[in-house]
Amino acid sequence: MTESPEALRDQALLNVGATSKFAPLPLGEAADMGQAADGTPLFDPQIFDSSEFARNPYPYYRLLRDHHPVYHDKLHNAYYVTRFADITECYFDDAGFNTIPKGSSSGVLGNTQLELSGVEHRRRRNLYGQHLVGKSLTHRVPSIKRLAREMIDNWSIESAPGSDGRTTIELGAAFANEFPIRVVCEVLGFPPEARGDFYYWYNSMMSGLGGSATHKQGVEARQHLEDYVGQLVAERRVTPTWLHDDDGNPISKDIITKLCETKVDGDYLSTEEITSNIALVVGGGGETTRGAIMHLWYLLLTHPEQFAALKNDDSLWDQAFHETLRHSTPIGGQPRHNTHDLSLHGVDIPAGSLINMVDFSANHDERIFSEPEAFNIFRDDLYSGKILRSGYAKEGRCSHMAFGVGPHLCPGAWISQQEAVEGSKALLAAMPDVALDLDKMQRDSISGEPRDIGISSIRELWLTFADGS
Ligand code: HEM
């Protein structure tokens, strides 16, 4: 949540053309950065600031995993941990590794559990986390399906059917940018007329996390959200509100109502506490799921045999979702700060250092996943069952790291899976013969093929389909 997708994207945009030291290479090949006297390949941290790294990160992470599994980047004053097993161990060591340092998000999101550890963290997380999983989630699936259908019925067409009878859409603008926000908005219990404000809160708080220039805007939006939630809370404390099925039958109370009814140590949650929980869910649930949907469709459309298999077997969507998150996760990793001095793989890390846990790299660790650069929804080493907190093997397979693991494992993982899968089923039903609009897609500077996903999420995905198909 901290290396926010917005920040990553901004970083990637800044990087484009930032340094010409590293010329673009064929995807999968790393620049030669020299060798130590014993032959160990060296690593130049300037690569992190290059456009080459943004488009072609994986060979560089492989170099780190193989030769510098803990890398001290003196240029950016940070450490990088890149192997799956090491990252998992650190994520589980809640006492040894703090999440975001206090101050970086709290001004914008409020006092959230992101900055807490141990019992305090668990208690906070369970307050709303329980409403996003299990039976509560099952109750929410009908709204997810309905929202997807509503969006598709009214989506904006980029160009109406041409002489070939095909319609063009940009998937982000037509569906993926907004769909996850609509779901979160409804599941939380915001009335539909609050949607416009919801985008304002979401976008401003997200960019507020990204840097000092936008911080003020983020804090203002957070205050505006708190004022709005304050009114809703006052109403819901008296009159609970419900989500309904398609026939208008109540299926479950919305999350704001449930939070209003929640007591901790005999006291109801304060409005500030409820707002912080909501701000965190608002922040966590938009860009991430947007990226997942865009990547899922891009990867399926560039792997037509796998897409064909999926069209014949609906049950493959869950596997496709998890393989997408392993192959091209929308969140690159999480920062942690070590609470005590430590030594890992022979590198001494003083207490309080910034350590980047690179989930991107863990997901491509060949110690865990064979041929990690290949997108393969049928791979037999990825676990795609019920999401695991352990990140470790079950039935001889490992789960990917895109949702993190351990105590901070994404509580929105289950609902985002439902959004991506149910949303994609509805998309496929609306455009069964969909194809990439290759003329409109950005091209890779070396291969000339549609550009790889690289380090930042795809912004635009152009699709064509036969009208009324
Ligand atoms: C594909 C979509 C998603 C991805 C890849 C993703 C990824 C992540 C990751 C990696 C973390 C762990 C942060 C850490 O270890 O410090 C996280 C935490 C979190 N996510 Fe997600 N997320 C997604 C969707 C969602 C959704 C839909 C929601 C809300 C409905 C959500 C809410 C949260 C919250 C509240 C946390 C903080 C959990 C804690 O600190 O205990 N996420 N997410």
Side-chain angles (χ1 to χ4, degrees), residues 1-2 91 99-100 112-116 121 125 128 132 180 184 187 255 277 280-293 321 325 329-331 333-336 359 400-417 419-420:
M1 288 272 306
T2 45
Y91 278 157
T99 49
I100 311 179
T112 76
Q113 97 244 354
L114 266 180
E115 289 142 15
L116 302 175
H121 167 259
R125 183 186 157 102
Y128 70 88
L132 294 171
V184 172
V187 161
I255 293 182
N277 280 307
L280 188 57
V281 175
V282 170
E287 173 67 20
T288 47
T289 312
R290 183 204 75 82
I293 295 172
F321 170 74
L325 288 183
T329 166
I331 300 204
Q334 300 297 328
R336 293 289 192 264
D359 299 345
H400 58 73
M401 192 70 85
F403 291 126
V405 292
H408 288 272
L409 173 91
C410 174
W414 295 267
I415 199 161
S416 71
Q417 179 169 353
E419 287 175 49

Side-chain angles (χ1 to χ4, degrees), residues 72 76-79 95-102 335-343 348-357:
H72 184 191
H76 302 94
N77 193 21
Y79 294 79
F97 296 88
N98 283 328
T99 49
I100 311 179
K102 288 207 189 304
R336 293 289 192 264
H337 288 76
N338 49 325
T339 51
H340 49 77
D341 293 348
L342 65 102
S343 183
D348 293 330
I349 312 181
S353 300
L354 168 63
I355 311 179
N356 290 310
M357 307 290 170

Side-chain angles (χ1 to χ4, degrees), residues 2-4 8 48 61 64 68-73 76-83 86-87 90-91 97-98 101 332-338 344 349 353-362:
T2 45
E3 225 174 356
S4 83
L8 265 179
F48 290 131
Y61 283 136
L64 287 180
H68 310 278
V70 174
Y71 176 67
H72 184 191
D73 170 356
H76 302 94
N77 193 21
Y79 294 79
Y80 286 80
V81 177
T82 44
R83 287 190 190 164
D86 294 329
I87 293 176
C90 296
Y91 278 157
F97 296 88
N98 283 328
Q334 300 297 328
R336 293 289 192 264
H337 288 76
N338 49 325
L344 196 56
I349 312 181
S353 300
L354 168 63
I355 311 179
N356 290 310
M357 307 290 170
V358 189
D359 299 345
F360 260 136
S361 172

Side-chain angles (χ1 to χ4, degrees), residues 219-239:
V219 173
E220 279 170 9
R222 206 280 179 184
Q223 185 56 52
H224 191 253
L225 169 67
E226 184 163 341
D227 294 344
Y228 186 84
V229 173
Q231 291 167 27
L232 286 185
V233 167
E235 288 161 23
R236 308 264 160 105
R237 287 202 200 274
V238 184
T239 316

